[in-house]
Amino acid sequence: MRGNRPFIGAIFLLILSTFWASAVSAQESEEMGPGLFLEIPDSHNIFLHGTEESPELRRDWPILTGIPGGSASFSKTAGVPQTLVEVQGTPIVEALSLNGTIKVELYASLEAKSPVCRQTNVIPGSPAGATTQFFVTLRWGSFTLINGISTNVVTMEESYTQSHIFQVEVPLDDIDLGPGDALSLQISVEHECVQPGALWWGTYDARSGITFTGDLIYPELEQVTDSNRITRIEFTPISPWGPTDFSRQVIEVVGPMDNYESMVHGFGQEEQRLDYFEAPHSFRVGEANRTVLTWSTSKPLEPGLYMIDGCFKLQDQDPAEPCDVIGVLKFEVYEDPKALLNGTWVAILIPLGVISWLGVSIREAMLPLPAYLVILVLAIASIGPAIHLPDIDQNSPRSDGAAPSFALLEHGGDGSISLFELLSDSDAVVVGLYVPGSPNANRQANDFRMAESLIDRDISFVQIATGIGVRAVDIDSHSQLVNGSWPILMDNADATVGKSFPSGASDAVIIIDAGGFITEWSPGTYSSSEIADAVESATRGSGHSIFDPISLLWGTALLPLFVLAMPREREYKEPNEVLLPGSGILLTLLGAGVGFCIWAVPISLMSAAGLGAFWIWIEICLAITLTYHGVRTLTTGKIPEIDWVAKKTYSALPTEYQEWRNQSSFSDDVHLGVWVAWLIWLRTPDLIAQGVGSIARTGVLGIVLSICMLLGIVLAAGLTVVIARGVIGITGPIPRTLGSLSVGIRPRAWGLASAILGSWVLISLLVGPVLGNF
């Protein structure tokens, strides 16, 4: 057993060293990880200032000069101390607990350099002596920190150019002070020399005053990165003497960096220094009514590791030092959160759904193999519109659509203001969304004022303070800056309205057209010229034009149209009578235009009627309708209501056209017009609502322009069908053969695909914007 003791001891030491290494490693990891790292001076000063008649106790370091700013003269005291200075400092504004030491330093000398005191100092400390000592009484609030304690005893012989230093230092333990407590200092001298002397202060070389060793200041440096990856920096200068104790600051945003270990003060490549700040962008009122200085990055930060490098100057520290307080705040900007279900999943669901459906249908009846080939091509073409669908994500706002309807309390007003009121007499509304205390609030206000002078239309400006728990006191200072130029609204306590905007509850400028639709938005702020351009665009259809349907034809949005446009007849049929040139094109234009109008006219009317506040519910109805159209086409090969309109329109055609083009072919054109409308809505949901309806709300001229715009878009939609049929026609007889072989199954397969598309949009709207408002 004894022989095993060294072995057991070695194992014990090994285990102990392992635990020690783990603890050290954990501590180093914590120090190297994210968070705030502060370097604060451990000594803090209060200096004598002023004159002998009006002395002062202040924090600011004496000026850099060799001539003292103040003095108190004294002569031989004959054993009775002489009071030189009685002074009281400014009351503190923060609670304070003193732990450490306190030292009083006094600089004194003879008025002129002389050896008299040394020569006459026969018996030091007796009436025959010639020494000098000071007595100090220091009180702070109700506490006596130093009570008449004498400094060191000196036989003086120098002038103020080489002053003697007199010091007294005492320990402090748990001295609790509160706001309003003031520091008072009494200095007395006992001078036994016949040569007069003086107590000096107010110069770099003779800075008589008080020095505290311990923790007196507790600055806070924080950052918040919003949903748009714009970072707001907040610095709270906590000092017993108030925020002005921090005289200057320099803040840099550095990154992205490789690791936290390389984040030290002053480090970083030039290209990594993204922003440089000195004067604060804005202020806000923080906890305990403290002043909080705020800055904001000019652009969104890319995902990665960053540091905020802060350099702060204190009034009581040596001006020759570049930084008195160093703060390095390490943080990470994360990737944008992933949605619950990405929109690209639809691109997988549709081919899988169509293939599964084909597998079931084969059991009932077998079609020619070319027909199945056409269906597979259609399934692949359906990926085009699917990849642009919105994600399914909780509380995600609708990126292309109407602004959220709101009625919010006005700061300093008598009631609430709604979006409907702002739009009632305006061609557009410019919304400034900001988080209280953000510097972007003031930036937005300045940009709004300049934009007003550039815009000659009736425009409403409004700012909304958003964020969790917005309080009226948070908006007071900004309200004074705006001074009633436009209303300032307060978001709900849970920031419901802010979260409903595409920007989220963060700083942004949002342009809303006369129909209540968001035309453009930018995180942070917009410049005045950008606001003016965006407003002008909003009054002209927000950049939409009559050529949009045709331009979409050459992308992926309308790819299924080329398969759906395959003719049902195997051979082209010549008319029995001479008809107008281009009659086939005109009939296709008519059928497709009628189908497109069935969808577009109601949308235009609802938008022109100002139903933007309810648009999310209108879009839900549209998604349900698209799903219904898909299901009906899947089960019957057509949409009964659309087929009924097609029959009515066909019956109104001249007889010679009816004899040439059969009713089924004309109904196909009408259905194609409807599907063009749905495909355009999936890709650009606001084309008709903004491009037609919103223009109609800008006045009488706007109504005329909106009608022209609608007719142009209808014509362009019809032309997309004509072009699609033309492209299929010029490729030869094979598309006609494939079209005739798949005439029964092709619309059904598309019905399944469109039902999936409609269901996805419906779920996306319900999970995102709708649930986000509850």
Side-chain angles (χ1 to χ4, degrees), residues 56-237:
E56 298 176 329
L57 284 177
R58 299 204 309 260
R59 286 274 286 168
D60 49 300
W61 189 280
I63 58 176
L64 301 177
T65 178
I67 302 175
S71 65
S73 300
F74 52 85
S75 57
K76 186 176 176 63
T77 58
V80 179
Q82 174 189 350
T83 300
L84 293 180
V85 174
E86 287 186 308
V87 61
Q88 181 168 315
T90 304
I92 61 175
V93 297
E94 292 274 357
L96 177 63
S97 181
L98 292 176
N99 290 279
T101 62
I102 184 169
K103 179 173 64 175
V104 177
E105 283 188 336
L106 303 175
Y107 289 80
S109 72
L110 300 175
E111 289 188 343
K113 184 175 183 179
S114 172
V116 171
C117 295
R118 176 174 51 82
Q119 293 172 353
T120 59
N121 189 25
V122 179
I123 304 176
S126 71
T131 58
T132 303
Q133 64 178 325
F134 289 88
F135 297 86
V136 177
T137 299
L138 183 64
R139 295 184 178 87
W140 204 338
S142 60
F143 294 93
T144 300
L145 308 181
I146 301 176
N147 187 17
I149 298 178
S150 61
T151 63
N152 49 310
V153 180
V154 176
T155 303
M156 297 195 299
E157 59 179 320
E158 298 291 344
S159 66
Y160 76 87
T161 58
Q162 289 182 308
S163 302
H164 301 277
I165 301 177
F166 296 81
Q167 295 179 335
V168 58
E169 184 173 357
V170 298
L172 299 174
D173 186 23
D174 291 334
I175 304 297
D176 295 324
L177 305 171
D181 289 342
L183 187 71
S184 62
L185 174 66
Q186 183 184 59
I187 303 173
S188 301
V189 64
E190 187 176 285
H191 180 60
E192 299 301 336
C193 182
V194 296
Q195 178 74 22
L199 172 67
W200 308 101
W201 64 78
T203 182
Y204 185 81
D205 296 322
R207 49 185 186 277
S208 297
I210 307 162
T211 299
F212 297 91
T213 301
D215 297 330
L216 263 72
I217 61 173
Y218 300 91
E220 295 177 354
L221 183 64
E222 300 175 308
Q223 65 82 29
V224 177
T225 302
D226 64 21
S227 56
N228 299 311
R229 299 203 306 274
I230 287 183
T231 294
R232 186 172 74 252
I233 304 164
E234 295 188 345
F235 175 65
T236 308

Side-chain angles (χ1 to χ4, degrees), residues 427-568:
D427 292 336
V429 174
V430 181
V431 177
L433 204 64
Y434 74 94
V435 177
S438 170
N440 284 316
N442 294 351
R443 292 177 176 177
Q444 291 173 6
N446 294 331
D447 291 332
F448 283 9
R449 286 194 178 95
M450 290 187 288
E452 281 183 308
S453 62
L454 298 176
I455 301 172
D456 58 356
R457 292 180 175 270
D458 295 328
I459 303 299
S460 294
F461 291 88
V462 65
Q463 285 188 286
I464 301 176
T466 187
I468 303 299
V470 175
R471 304 170 300 169
V473 67
D474 299 329
I475 313 174
D476 288 341
S477 59
H478 185 65
S479 177
Q480 295 174 2
L481 173 69
V482 173
N483 195 26
S485 299
W486 50 80
I488 300 177
L489 308 183
M490 296 172 54
D491 200 352
N492 302 319
D494 54 356
T496 304
V497 173
K499 293 177 182 177
S500 299
F501 280 104
S503 61
S506 60
D507 303 337
V509 172
I510 299 151
I511 312 298
I512 303 175
D513 65 19
F517 297 89
I518 296 174
T519 63
E520 294 185 43
W521 73 275
S522 172
T525 186
Y526 256 150
S527 68
S528 56
S529 59
E530 289 174 325
I531 292 174
D533 293 341
V535 166
E536 188 62 28
S537 175
T539 59
R540 297 199 307 261
S542 305
H544 296 300
S545 74
I546 60 175
F547 301 106
D548 285 0
I550 297 177
S551 63
L552 290 174
L553 187 64
W554 310 117
T556 59
L558 301 184
L559 274 179
L561 186 62
F562 290 98
V563 181
L564 296 174
M566 289 182 175
R568 62 171 54 231

